[in-house]
Amino acid sequence: MLEQIARTPVGYWYLKRIAPQLDSTLLRLTGGRVSSVYPVPLMLLTTTGAKSGSPRTQPLGYTKDGDTILLIASNYGKPNHPAWYWNLKANPKVQVLAGKNSGTHIASEITDRAERERAWDLALDFYAGYADYEARAGDRKIPLIRLTRIS
């Protein structure tokens, strides 16, 4: 039901404008266990700014792939990659606040064709709306990022 709501114009607006504001606080207060869209898994991802070198934190949805975390750099289907994507490309060591998945991770983009197709299927199982984002993104191929815990 949450997914159906999220794919409506009102749901899209909520997820883009309201939820990130609420979730930053909720996730911090609960150690990354509860968000405004609970039980959908959300995290606080802290990257290092590609240009500034300053920490940048944002709430993101994620799905698990074995022992790793899968992030989808959809940027709501915009034609450009999200800022956090460029930050982790420049500085792949990130901090994750997501309950038992919290810790320091290393980010790597999934570029192998077969592995990417499998990961994209996992992403669509997590949220079918990524297909909408892919259509909106036009020629932009949505990056898939694997986070592997290092501590």
Side-chain angles (χ1 to χ4, degrees):
M1 183 172 88
L2 281 175
E3 184 171 321
Q4 290 173 337
I5 293 168
R7 293 177 78 179
T8 68
V10 171
Y12 175 79
W13 173 82
Y14 173 82
L15 288 175
K16 190 173 177 185
R17 301 285 182 209
I18 304 299
Q21 303 303 316
L22 296 172
D23 290 331
S24 290
T25 301
L26 283 171
L27 289 165
R28 277 189 184 93
L29 288 173
T30 64
R33 291 183 299 276
V34 178
S35 72
S36 69
V37 292
Y38 183 82
V40 175
L42 290 187
M43 68 164 62
L44 283 182
L45 177 71
T46 301
T47 59
T48 301
K51 294 179 183 176
S52 70
S54 299
R56 304 288 185 215
T57 302
Q58 57 279 317
L60 292 176
Y62 70 94
T63 190
K64 294 285 290 181
D65 184 11
D67 291 339
T68 65
I69 294 173
L70 182 63
L71 299 178
I72 300 85
S74 66
N75 204 17
Y76 302 99
K78 291 180 183 175
N80 54 323
H81 297 320
W84 62 262
Y85 168 80
W86 297 113
N87 290 346
L88 65 78
K89 290 292 282 185
N91 303 291
K93 190 174 181 181
V94 299
Q95 294 297 318
V96 169
L97 179 63
K100 66 181 180 177
N101 299 305
S102 298
T104 303
H105 292 70
I106 292 291
S108 59
E109 186 168 353
I110 300 171
T111 56
D112 176 78
R113 173 178 251 162
E115 185 180 356
R116 189 186 187 288
E117 285 178 17
R118 188 184 70 72
W120 184 250
D121 288 342
L122 289 173
L124 292 175
D125 285 345
F126 170 69
Y127 177 55
Y130 287 131
D132 302 337
Y133 295 168
E134 181 180 44
R136 271 190 241 152
D139 292 336
R140 179 173 76 92
K141 188 172 191 172
I142 294 174
L144 302 178
I145 309 298
R146 180 173 314 287
L147 299 182
T148 304
R149 186 191 309 251
I150 59 172
S151 68

